[in-house]
Amino acid sequence: MRVFVTGASGWIGSALIPELISAGHEVTGLARSDASAAALTEAGARVHRGDLDDLDALRSAAQASDGVIHLAFNVGLALSGNFQGAVDADRRAVQALGEALTGSDRPLVMASVTLVLEPGRVGTETDAPGLDPADAVGPRARIVPEQAALSFASRGVRASAVRLPPTVYGDGDRGFLASQIAIAQARGVSGFLGDGSNRWSAVHRLDAAHAFRLALEKAPAGSLLHAVADEGVPTRAIAEVIGRHLELPVRSVPAGDANEHFGPLAPFLAFDNPASSVLTRKLLGWQPTRPGLIEDLDEGHYFRSLPTPAAEPKGHHGGTS
């Protein structure tokens, strides 16, 4: 297939390109910068210049493809305090991609997040988020572009959504885990909120890339999928590994001090977001093979070249193109 990928030079996208090429697909990636274009060319992909706000560029690339995988999300805009603006841009991009594929029976696979689900219980692929999209705020607002993508299933598009867990980890990660490590390094304590029993689901980036490839090839129209390997890892367990490697005390951070201590990471650390992928594994034949989150974190690669202390994650879930 000729596959158009947004976010192709991002954290997951850079793993997805070789996954697709090794399966015999031709890849064209969206690039908004010379650096992104060079990275795509080096990886063996073609380059389509543009960004998520260039809807004509998105439509033309989708029309020329046999299928689309939409990974890009404007993390920079979201972390600037305008999360809703990033969600609105994502919705417009999904709409443009879907319109370009309408009536073609070609696949449109978009990246969503498990955080749209009701917190505090193990979410499954059949669970509705349990909220009106108009009332969704913060990360849960990403239900809006997810539903926009799935609406094209009734318009002749093999549309599906792959929900990603709060952390997509692996060697080279500069997202949530790297930011949590940098905060611990800067604060002199590896912190967690409350009693640390709230859980993050997780997946290795290479397993996530494999899930997106299988969704492109196999997922029926209207599929909701979970690229989840670890169903739920307590945030205290993550803090304990970080503390051990940095030789720092591990402590609970009071709720009132969370924003000051963790910065933009605080709301995400407060989520209890376990999720199951039983149905996805059965439907796609997807089986995660990489180390789990704690095992991967304990391998030490996150600590060999410590990031400059910072209070913000620099990218997550594919990033921007």
Side-chain angles (χ1 to χ4, degrees), residues 4-8 12-13 16 52 68-74 83 86-87 90-91 93-94 97 108-116 139 141-150 159-165 168 208-209 211-212 215 223-227 316-319:
F4 174 51
V5 180
T6 72
I12 298 172
L16 178 61
L52 288 187
V68 174
I69 298 178
H70 174 50
L71 297 177
F73 185 76
N74 195 330
F83 198 96
V87 169
D90 195 31
R91 176 188 52 78
V94 166
L97 294 167
L108 168 62
V109 183
M110 79 155 293
S112 185
V113 291
T114 61
L115 289 172
V116 301
R142 294 189 68 175
I143 189 61
V144 175
E146 176 187 287
Q147 291 186 346
L150 293 175
S160 63
V162 177
R163 289 173 175 162
L164 291 160
V168 182
F212 276 98
S223 296
L224 267 172
L225 307 163
H226 284 184
H316 188 47
H317 296 340

Side-chain angles (χ1 to χ4, degrees), residues 233-245:
V233 181
T235 54
R236 179 168 185 160
I238 297 171
E240 286 171 347
V241 176
I242 293 171
R244 183 167 66 253
H245 279 268

Side-chain angles (χ1 to χ4, degrees), residues 184 188-190 239-250 303 306:
V189 60
S190 181
E240 286 171 347
V241 176
I242 293 171
R244 183 167 66 253
H245 279 268
L246 295 181
E247 298 182 346
L248 293 175
V250 180
F303 307 96
L306 287 172

